[in-house]
Amino acid sequence: MTSQVSSPAEQADETVPGEQRKAAGTKDVRRLDRVIIRFAGDSGDGMQLTGDRFTSETASFGNDLSTLPNFPAEIRAPAGTLPGVSSFQLHFADHDILTPGDAPNVLVAMNPAALKANIGDLPRGAEIIVNTDEFTKRAMQKVGYASNPLEDGSLDGYSLHPVPLTTLTVEALKQFDLTRKEAERSKNMFALGLLSWMYHRPTEGTERFLKSKFAKKPDIAAANLAAYRAGWNFGETTEDFAVSYEVSPAATAFPPGVYRNISGNLALAYGLIAASRQADLPLFLGSYPITPASDILHELSRHKNFGVRTFQAEDEIAGIGAALGAAFGGSLAVTTTSGPGVALKSETIGLAVSLELPLLIVDIQRGGPSTGLPTKTEQADLLQAMYGRNGEAPVPVVAPRTPADCFDAALEAARIALAYRTPVFLLSDGYLANGSEPWRIPDAEELPDLRVRFAQGPNHTMDDGTEVFWPYQRDPHTLARPWAIPGTPGLEHRIGGIEKQDGTGNISYDPANHDFMVRTRQAKIDGVDVPDLEVDDADGDARVLVLGWGSTYGPITAAVRRIRGAGGAVAQAHLRHVNPFPRNLGEVLRRYEKVVVPEMNLGQLATLIRAKYLVDAHSYNQVNGMPFKAEQLADVLKEAIDD
């Protein structure tokens, strides 16, 4: 969530023990204000599903939450190996939180590889629940364990819970006509049931989900339900878990309204649908599947009843070509991709700049270059979005800051594209796309009016009094050209990629005209109306400003809270509009002695800031495929303040 209210619990990674009481039976119940859980196992162990179900129940319970799915790029990486480990981290609390958490309080490790890949992230004293059935000699040797870590004392600093998850699951499913291998597949549901008991999560939603998911396979549905309930009952009856935990709903963290849990890609898809409805235009998506953007294509394909048309093209170039054609035909046109796809689409984006038609290019950034890290996150496409085309081809750039904010960012990108007749980049990334948080569903009257007026008739009078249609006759306020639907009588006009004559749109090689058109297209983008940059400077006496963009918002804000909680002074500002910059950005930057710019790249925003404002921005960079940790940024800011 995005509240600026500081919480003491944001100052540390460890949970606060809090109040303890007796449960209805014999076990103690301890109240906590926040918990960070990580599920980890083979990519075939169902960790993403397990985490997603735990998240859904946590959201329905009313906690604030933030998630971090982390999985291999391979469809099925080698079983039991470190590259094949898939994990899902969930941070939930009784107050406003901003990140998936720096260090898990609880690790559920389904095999030796999962333990070894994640143990380095755990603080001492953390709880570890391990599936002892998988700790065979061969499995341990595969990941480099010379001895059994469950027995050699190497885990003495943690609270270890050895549980034979596979054996218990198979035993619980004896009544079903399943092979052992089929029964073993339900061990993730056993683990989910156990964790649901430990943290008093609701169960009804997961039971409904399993019945629905396996509606055509009732035996499989019944088996998964049995495993889930067996895990719950195991927690209730075993002596190894003497304490369960309660995390109360975050009653004060949310403004009044109806909430749901939402991922960034789902929010973005909903935002595009909302934009098309507010513009009263059909929505067209021309796309080629690519990680991590494919979910948007999948989701939009389900909504034909809202006037959505999706086209899965044979390649990236065909996808954007079809989208640009749809824009010419009067649709709200979108193409979705990731960094490698942007490279292929660049010529058509330049064509859209020349044609001056509204087009949304949604780039869900991932690690690069080339194929790079398909399932990991990065912010390294900013300069590509700004300059990755031949010639002078300026394009506005909008960046959401949280998963839920992807909805509003989609509406904002559509507003700019429609009002100024221009392609617009929407830069999300893998962290936002796959992460989730509670989202307040807006009322329809809260959404902006995006309706546009198509050209209806002649707009220019010749010297001889003849009325004609000039396709490049511009609105004096926005410099947008008229949007003429093909087939409208009297509005026939020439279209294409060769330079146009101002006004008439005729082909022109005149040097002065080209200079004028280049400068006019740039002036149109420079004149896009964007809000002033808001600065959070609690007491107005900070020397250091931390400036971010996109998905760094959560870690930066959590780090700022820690600094202020320790008595330090630091100001924070976060950019949604990266091109054009807010008009007051230069004045804001000059207010502070030092500007720190954390980015998941090698300093792309910092480069733009230095070039435009001649400010010595201090760049702090990370390109390891993972988001920043709050503690990491807090240390950087403290050093900047003390310097």
Side-chain angles (χ1 to χ4, degrees):
M1 305 303 291
T2 56
S3 168
Q4 297 299 314
V5 179
S6 182
S7 166
E10 288 289 344
Q11 314 305 324
D13 287 323
E14 295 78 21
T15 56
V16 180
E19 178 187 347
Q20 188 166 317
R21 65 179 175 82
K22 285 286 186 180
T26 60
K27 296 192 176 184
D28 291 332
V29 177
R30 185 173 302 163
R31 292 189 183 277
L32 305 175
D33 72 341
R34 61 197 286 266
V35 176
I36 304 168
I37 298 174
R38 184 181 296 176
F39 298 92
D42 262 342
S43 54
D45 282 340
M47 294 296 94
Q48 302 305 317
L49 175 62
T50 304
D52 183 68
R53 288 314 313 159
F54 195 94
T55 299
S56 294
E57 298 296 3
T58 296
S60 69
F61 188 72
N63 296 119
D64 196 8
L65 61 88
S66 180
T67 68
L68 177 62
N70 185 17
F71 41 87
E74 293 80 9
I75 293 174
R76 186 65 174 92
T81 64
L82 293 175
V85 173
S86 174
S87 68
F88 188 105
Q89 184 163 308
L90 165 68
H91 182 190
F92 62 102
D94 65 2
H95 57 274
D96 172 35
I97 59 173
L98 297 154
T99 74
D102 288 359
N105 309 116
V106 182
L107 171 66
V108 180
M110 303 298 279
N111 61 17
L115 177 65
K116 187 158 192 176
N118 292 282
I119 190 66
D121 293 336
L122 267 64
R124 291 290 174 173
E127 293 193 76
I128 304 175
I129 301 171
V130 293
N131 180 14
T132 57
D133 289 323
E134 295 297 321
F135 279 72
T136 63
K137 184 175 181 180
R138 184 172 180 274
M140 289 186 289
Q141 288 176 342
K142 192 181 289 188
V143 295
Y145 277 127
S147 60
N148 190 337
L150 309 183
E151 301 172 352
D152 63 10
S154 59
L155 301 179
D156 286 350
Y158 306 94
S159 177
L160 180 65
H161 301 280
V163 180
L165 288 172
T166 306
T167 299
L168 291 170
T169 303
V170 171
E171 181 68 21
L173 303 185
K174 282 194 307 183
Q175 60 181 304
F176 298 94
D177 186 21
L178 300 173
T179 65
R180 180 178 177 86
K181 187 174 183 179
E182 289 173 334
E184 288 178 0
R185 290 176 184 159
S186 296
K187 62 181 180 290
N188 64 323
M189 288 297 106
F190 189 99
L192 177 59
L194 173 58
L195 269 293
S196 297
W197 171 83
M198 282 183 65
Y199 292 97
H200 296 246
R201 300 295 92 185
T203 61
E204 295 82 3
T206 294
E207 296 199 358
R208 283 195 304 270
F209 168 82
L210 292 173
K211 291 174 183 176
S212 172
K213 181 177 177 62
F214 300 108
K216 295 182 180 179
K217 298 179 180 178
D219 290 345
I220 300 299
N224 277 283
L225 279 168
Y228 178 62
R229 291 165 179 166
W232 178 285
N233 293 332
F234 177 77
E236 182 72 26
T237 57
T238 183
E239 295 182 2
D240 192 40
F241 294 92
V243 178
S244 64
Y245 304 92
E246 282 186 355
V247 181
S248 299
T252 61
F254 306 118
V258 178
Y259 286 79
R260 60 157 294 166
N261 183 49
I262 201 165
S263 69
N265 273 352
L266 183 58
L268 205 155
Y270 287 174
L272 293 173
I273 296 171
S276 75
R277 303 295 285 184
Q278 294 302 108
D280 197 20
L281 297 174
L283 177 65
F284 180 89
L285 173 67
S287 182
Y288 179 75
I290 183 171
T291 302
S294 300
D295 289 342
I296 302 171
L297 169 61
H298 300 159
E299 182 61 34
L300 289 180
S301 67
R302 300 187 179 105
H303 297 287
K304 294 178 182 178
N305 56 315
F306 286 112
V308 178
R309 296 293 178 266
T310 54
F311 170 56
Q312 181 174 320
E314 66 269 28
D315 56 39
E316 295 280 6
I317 299 172
I320 190 173
L324 185 55
F328 179 57
S331 292
L332 176 59
V334 184
T335 189
T336 53
T337 189
S338 190
V342 173
L344 292 166
K345 295 177 188 292
S346 61
E347 183 179 6
T348 308
I349 298 171
L351 176 60
V353 171
S354 176
L355 300 181
E356 300 189 45
L357 287 170
L359 174 67
L360 301 186
I361 305 109
V362 177
D363 177 6
I364 312 297
Q365 300 166 95
R366 71 190 204 190
S370 188
T371 307
L373 305 173
T375 60
K376 310 302 179 185
T377 195
E378 207 164 273
Q379 287 183 300
D381 294 349
L382 177 57
L383 293 183
Q384 180 178 219
M386 290 283 291
Y387 303 119
R389 295 163 294 284
N390 63 297
E392 295 289 342
V395 174
V397 180
V398 176
R401 62 185 185 178
T402 70
D405 188 49
C406 289
F407 178 87
D408 295 317
L411 285 162
E412 175 64 0
R415 177 191 72 84
I416 294 172
L418 294 170
Y420 295 88
R421 311 288 197 270
T422 177
V424 176
F425 261 100
L426 180 56
L427 287 185
S428 180
D429 60 41
Y431 172 38
L432 295 184
N434 296 316
S436 61
E437 66 175 348
W439 171 58
R440 188 182 70 83
I441 301 173
D443 293 328
E445 55 267 23
E446 298 176 41
L447 302 179
D449 184 352
L450 301 180
R451 286 174 294 181
V452 296
R453 182 176 175 82
F454 292 109
Q456 300 297 317
N459 60 2
H460 180 75
T461 304
M462 304 292 287
D463 291 340
D464 62 2
T466 305
E467 292 187 336
V468 297
F469 174 68
W470 273 14
Y472 283 84
Q473 183 86 286
R474 299 184 182 278
D475 182 291
H477 301 292
T478 64
L479 299 182
R481 77 173 186 89
W483 194 0
I485 300 298
T488 305
L491 302 189
E492 297 85 358
H493 60 282
R494 192 173 281 109
I495 201 110
I498 298 177
E499 184 63 281
K500 316 292 187 303
Q501 183 182 51
D502 177 45
T504 69
N506 296 331
I507 292 174
S508 173
Y509 292 93
D510 177 64
N513 178 78
H514 177 59
D515 183 272
F516 177 80
M517 293 295 279
V518 167
R519 294 179 186 277
T520 300
R521 288 189 288 260
Q522 183 65 59
K524 180 172 71 169
I525 303 308
D526 291 342
V528 170
D529 181 26
V530 303
D532 279 351
L533 182 65
E534 295 183 1
V535 182
D536 175 17
D537 189 351
D539 298 317
D541 58 353
R543 296 172 41 252
V544 174
L545 170 72
V546 54
L547 178 69
W549 70 279
S551 67
T552 57
Y553 173 79
I556 289 174
T557 307
V560 166
R561 289 181 178 182
R562 294 184 185 207
I563 293 294
R564 292 174 178 171
V570 62
Q572 177 189 2
H574 207 79
L575 291 168
R576 164 173 282 182
H577 299 89
V578 188
N579 192 36
F581 286 131
R583 285 168 176 74
N584 68 332
L585 177 57
E587 183 271 324
V588 167
L589 295 172
R590 287 187 287 272
R591 244 188 264 166
Y592 297 92
E593 297 177 22
K594 188 176 293 186
V595 178
V596 180
V597 185
E599 298 180 77
M600 293 187 293
N601 55 47
L602 293 183
Q604 297 187 17
L605 175 62
T607 297
L608 296 174
I609 293 295
R610 292 178 187 129
K612 185 172 180 64
Y613 299 105
L614 302 181
V615 169
D616 184 21
H618 296 257
S619 191
Y620 181 74
N621 310 113
Q622 174 174 295
V623 282
N624 61 7
M626 298 295 288
F628 286 114
K629 294 182 177 180
E631 181 181 12
Q632 168 190 4
L633 291 182
D635 290 342
V636 171
L637 296 180
K638 186 176 186 304
E639 183 178 333
I641 293 168
D642 294 342
D643 186 11

